[in-house]
Amino acid sequence: MTAKTLYDKLWDAHLVQQRDDGSALIYIDRHIVHEVTSPQAFAGLRIAGRKPWRVDSILATPDHNVPTTIKERASGVSGIEDPVSLIQVQTLDDNCDEYGIVEYKINDLRQGIVHVVGPESGACLPGMTIVCGDSHTATNGALGALAHGIGTSEVEHVLATQCLVAKKMGNMRIDVNGKLGEGVTPKDVVLAIIGKIGTAGGTGYAVEFAGDVFRDMSMEGRMTVCNMAIEAGARAGMVAVDDTTIEYVKGRPYAPTGENWEKAVTAWRELTSDEGAHFDAVVELNGADILPQVSWGTSPDMVADINATVPAPADEPDAVKREGMLRALEYMGLEAGQKIADIKLDRVFIGSCTNSRIEDIRAAALVVKGRQKSSSVKQAMVVPGSGVVKAQAEAEGLDKIFVAAGFEWREPGCSMCLAMNADKLGAGEHCASTSNRNFEGRQGYGGRTHLVSPAMAAAAAIAGHFVDVRDFVRS
Amino acid sequence: MKSFNRVTGIAAPMDRANVDTDMIIPKQFLKSIKRTGFGKNLFDELRYLDEGQPDQECTGRPLNQEFALNQARYQGASVLLARKNFGCGSSREHAPWALDDYGFRCVIAPSFADIFYNNCFKNGLLPLVLSEAEVDQLFSELYANEGYELTIDLPSQKVLTPSGAAFSFEVDEFRKHCLLNGLDDIALTLEQADAINAYESKQRESAPWLFDAVKN
């Protein structure tokens, strides 16, 4: 038998029909739905007189538009001040009610960012195919699943047929071996990977993250890494199943139980790449070489080590890239050669589907504890990824640490990652953000995003500028 | 879906790499629950000098005259000439909806991000890959000639320039078939309902936990 990669196994197990032209029908086990990319899909379904193929495969929750202040959340959907956001969240409720889809509504304890809720509830499991109308669906690949984002037409297609028309991607493996240094986190690992291979480096591939660093990583950490596979161009990122995966899944609300649990675990143990399986591309990094990362530009591959300087476009031989760097520096208001540590921050955002899980909140709290937000930072906000994460953090007293340090402790949602709700940057403001995209205007019109880990964001909020979090850890 | 056969139209330049879907259609416009009306906000932050709001009338907004789509010579363009990794970032289908609503039928670039590429085909918009050298050549011809038009002939898979040059491009058989005939994917897949049902029965046997209902 030919040796298979993890991706080959997941693909083969979900193949309904292979067509001669290379396209295929792939069965989808889990469909996660949110308010932004689904209304037009439900409308399409209704116009064509179709029904969802398997209603109980779907889980919905509003996240992109929901306000994150207690005041605005108090009266549920009707309390959303932005009338356009209100309609969108209400439309999700109406669609889910009409079709009988389970939805964690705005003030349900289980509501949160789709990619936090999926794994946390056990709705997303190893070995599944998982889709959602959101490019960060790759997060779920951390479970040893095939998970990726789809467009709204495909949301409608999956609703109607439980399948996706797809073409098999190539296999890429990214090996990070060795041990990470103290204070170096999964976010730094994935930013370093994107810095190395570029935002199109993984285009056309399903990426498996392999090597000691990922084996040693928690599930939360693996989710952070898989989450940003798309920022390297790859629709899907994944990590092979091991004890860490199985321990994480055990006991989750939708995880199998009893005899089915035993059978599932046996099947999940097979979800690794076979010895000698063929990869079309392999990238290697040494874990020990990775330092805390900070993005300086307007594309997630524009990253630098914390102790480095802003790179000079003049040193870039490729004309199109050089042009991009010049434009980025102008937008960001930075000078080539300026120290990364000298970049001053106006706001700090700890949250998003990349970094809003309990481990992220703990890492930030550890840095913040007993310290004060710098007076030069206008706002530092912590937005937990779900009501469950929020409750857990509060049970550990983490909210009190943040509030005592002058941070804001918010209700769960996507928040300032993409600024579809009221949480946004002003023009020209610099933000240390644990989110995933530093595109122009992403966090607010004219806003300047610097992508960092939760610990680095927390340290920057204390210092007022970027600092090497490893110094904080030592001090 | 709108069909695509042969399109001739003015080409406009989007001369930068890594154009992300946030740039194509900024987030505040994603709050719409409709599929139409995004054209006036296509490239909003590049096109206008102020911050755009959803449901806003755009005719009186200050224009960035340096932006290509605001220049007289590119009015009515239906072909967008772009650089590599066009459409990266978010999966929002609002990006192809905005391009389509503005009037574009085809985007030519040396490479596209996967999800965007896929989304285009669902909307009768052709994402067309040419080599970097070919794209460079089209950019120089476009800048040198006002009213520069390109013809995209899908049946023969060729881009024809005013000087008579022809560049071949690749496109998946199935996607080409759907575009040429304006076919709806869902109806085609539902013709395979028996195969889907058969797959489900087999899976329910071997991996029953995959079918545990999501319950409240």
Side-chain angles (χ1 to χ4, degrees):
Chain A
M1 220 172 68
T2 10
K4 288 181 176 181
T5 65
L6 170 57
Y7 172 58
D8 294 338
K9 291 180 184 181
L10 292 166
W11 173 270
D12 290 350
H14 291 87
L15 191 61
V16 173
Q17 201 171 60
Q18 178 68 55
R19 294 176 178 151
D20 295 340
D21 67 349
S23 69
L25 266 191
I26 290 293
Y27 190 81
I28 301 303
D29 296 313
R30 184 67 69 234
H31 190 181
I32 312 283
V33 170
H34 65 78
E35 80 278 19
V36 180
T37 55
S38 67
Q40 297 88 348
F42 282 109
L45 209 62
R46 207 170 284 122
I47 290 165
R50 294 171 175 139
K51 291 248 173 307
W53 182 281
R54 188 153 76 82
V55 165
D56 65 11
S57 69
I58 310 167
L59 176 61
T61 192
D63 56 3
H64 286 61
N65 279 278
V66 296
T68 60
T69 58
I70 288 184
K71 182 177 154 282
E72 212 179 329
R73 281 286 271 269
S75 42
V77 179
S78 60
I80 301 176
E81 286 167 17
D82 177 341
V84 198
S85 291
L86 186 151
I87 290 171
Q88 205 164 46
V89 176
Q90 185 62 54
T91 304
L92 179 69
D93 287 2
D94 294 347
N95 283 325
C96 290
D97 292 347
E98 177 182 340
Y99 291 105
I101 293 166
V102 172
E103 182 197 1
Y104 295 167
K105 293 192 172 157
I106 185 164
N107 283 341
D108 190 312
L109 170 76
R110 303 165 297 176
Q111 177 271 341
I113 307 175
V114 278
H115 314 305
V116 175
V117 169
E120 171 180 274
S121 63
C124 297
L125 295 171
M128 278 184 165
T129 41
I130 302 159
V131 295
C132 172
D134 192 291
S135 61
H136 292 112
T137 309
T139 311
N140 297 286
L143 293 158
L146 175 56
H148 60 75
I150 54 177
T152 298
S153 294
E154 290 176 316
V155 170
E156 186 182 339
H157 192 279
V158 175
L159 285 172
T161 70
Q162 208 62 34
C163 290
L164 205 55
V165 179
K167 203 165 185 177
K168 198 173 174 197
M169 299 178 265
N171 277 290
M172 176 185 271
R173 195 179 71 218
I174 298 182
D175 289 328
V176 187
N177 281 303
K179 283 247 177 279
L180 295 180
E182 196 183 12
V184 179
T185 70
K187 182 64 163 289
D188 302 305
V189 173
V190 72
L191 286 175
I193 290 170
I194 299 162
K196 183 179 167 98
I197 71 172
T199 52
T203 303
Y205 293 109
V207 171
E208 179 175 346
F209 296 99
D212 310 337
V213 162
F214 303 111
R215 291 273 70 86
D216 293 345
M217 214 176 256
S218 67
M219 283 307 290
E220 285 86 349
R222 294 175 189 182
M223 288 179 210
T224 299
V225 173
C226 291
N227 173 276
M228 290 190 72
I230 187 69
E231 267 60 66
R235 289 182 85 172
M238 59 193 76
V239 176
V241 170
D242 60 10
D243 291 340
T244 306
T245 323
I246 289 166
E247 274 312 304
Y248 175 88
V249 174
K250 196 172 186 176
R252 303 249 157 215
Y254 296 124
T257 53
E259 193 193 337
N260 267 354
W261 170 257
E262 298 304 328
K263 279 169 81 173
V265 170
T266 308
W268 295 342
R269 291 281 181 199
E270 301 295 318
L271 296 173
T272 59
S273 288
D274 294 332
E275 192 72 36
H278 174 74
F279 284 88
D280 306 294
V282 176
V283 175
E284 290 181 9
L285 278 82
N286 183 0
D289 295 342
I290 300 172
L291 300 184
Q293 301 287 299
V294 179
S295 77
W296 53 266
T298 52
S299 172
D301 55 354
M302 293 176 169
V303 287
D305 295 344
I306 175 63
N307 55 17
T309 54
V310 173
D315 299 340
E316 173 56 56
D318 180 283
V320 175
K321 267 195 192 162
R322 188 166 56 239
E323 204 38 54
M325 288 172 77
L326 283 167
R327 199 179 295 118
L329 290 185
E330 192 192 334
Y331 180 86
M332 295 297 288
L334 297 175
E335 302 281 340
Q338 183 180 349
K339 280 186 183 161
I340 294 287
D342 287 345
I343 300 172
K344 292 190 172 56
L345 282 323
D346 301 291
R347 293 182 200 268
V348 172
F349 170 62
I350 298 172
S352 87
C353 57
T354 313
N355 283 127
S356 64
R357 296 174 188 81
I358 190 65
E359 185 180 286
D360 303 313
I361 310 283
R362 286 180 191 142
L366 195 67
V367 172
V368 168
K369 193 171 186 177
R371 298 187 168 100
Q372 277 299 316
K373 173 182 79 67
S374 164
S375 57
S376 64
V377 172
K378 290 178 212 165
Q379 180 187 40
M381 57 196 289
V382 186
V383 186
S386 71
V388 175
V389 170
K390 180 168 184 267
Q392 172 73 31
E394 288 173 355
E396 295 176 19
L398 306 182
D399 57 323
K400 294 199 174 62
I401 293 174
F402 289 115
V403 172
F407 285 55
E408 296 171 24
W409 178 247
R410 296 292 192 98
E411 299 298 299
C414 298
S415 181
M416 206 195 273
C417 173
L418 85 169
M420 276 190 78
N421 69 354
D423 311 333
K424 52 185 79 161
L425 297 182
E429 288 180 343
H430 287 268
C431 178
S433 177
T434 67
S435 57
N436 39 57
R437 289 186 177 137
N438 50 352
F439 299 151
E440 288 182 23
R442 170 83 178 182
Q443 292 193 289
Y445 186 75
R448 295 161 168 168
T449 303
H450 299 277
L451 305 174
V452 287
S453 74
M456 282 286 288
I462 306 297
H465 54 88
F466 285 115
V467 284
D468 192 335
V469 71
R470 295 172 299 170
D471 298 336
F472 267 74
V473 176
R474 284 179 208 120
S475 70
Chain B
M1 191 181 78
K2 215 186 288 183
S3 66
F4 189 112
N5 194 291
R6 187 183 168 98
V7 166
T8 298
I10 291 180
M14 186 63 207
D15 199 354
R16 52 162 98 184
N18 300 314
V19 170
D20 56 73
T21 54
D22 276 79
M23 193 175 282
I24 298 173
I25 183 85
K27 71 264 165 194
Q28 63 269 37
F29 306 110
L30 312 190
K31 295 180 188 186
S32 167
I33 57 170
K34 296 183 293 192
R35 260 176 198 264
T36 50
F38 296 104
K40 62 183 166 52
N41 301 113
L42 174 71
F43 299 122
D44 199 273
E45 292 184 6
L46 301 173
R47 224 163 121 191
Y48 304 99
L49 294 170
D50 62 346
E51 181 182 2
Q53 302 301 333
D55 292 334
Q56 175 189 19
E57 189 47 59
C58 290
T59 43
R61 293 176 61 195
L63 294 175
N64 172 9
Q65 298 297 349
E66 285 175 18
F67 185 59
L69 296 187
N70 289 331
Q71 294 165 12
R73 59 184 290 189
Y74 300 119
Q75 294 314 299
S78 57
V79 178
L80 187 67
L81 189 59
R83 296 290 184 183
K84 62 185 173 192
N85 200 28
F86 188 87
C88 61
S90 149
S91 65
R92 60 189 69 165
E93 198 161 318
H94 311 67
W97 293 340
L99 286 160
D100 171 68
D101 195 57
Y102 182 87
F104 285 112
R105 299 297 322 274
C106 173
V107 184
I108 301 176
S111 63
F112 291 92
D114 284 341
I115 303 180
F116 174 82
Y117 185 77
N118 215 24
N119 284 341
C120 286
F121 285 101
K122 317 284 181 192
N123 295 283
L125 183 71
L126 176 64
L128 192 159
V129 178
L130 291 181
S131 74
E132 228 158 318
E134 290 165 336
V135 170
D136 278 344
Q137 187 185 329
L138 293 182
F139 265 108
S140 12
E141 290 181 9
L142 177 154
Y143 286 133
N145 301 286
E146 197 155 327
Y148 186 75
E149 286 196 346
L150 289 171
T151 294
I152 289 88
D153 188 67
L154 183 57
S156 68
Q157 296 179 213
K158 285 204 167 35
V159 178
L160 310 165
T161 75
S163 63
F167 299 119
S168 296
F169 62 89
E170 295 293 320
V171 60
D172 286 352
E173 243 354 89
F174 180 70
R175 283 172 165 156
K176 179 177 173 180
H177 173 72
C178 289
L179 267 188
L180 284 171
N181 300 291
L183 290 178
D184 164 7
D185 261 5
I186 297 178
L188 288 173
T189 299
L190 285 174
E191 288 174 8
Q192 308 304 320
D194 289 349
I196 304 170
N197 281 315
Y199 173 89
E200 277 187 338
S201 313
K202 186 184 65 144
Q203 279 290 90
R204 274 182 203 276
E205 273 301 300
S206 59
W209 62 88
L210 292 174
F211 294 83
D212 287 348
V214 172
K215 283 181 287 213
N216 229 329

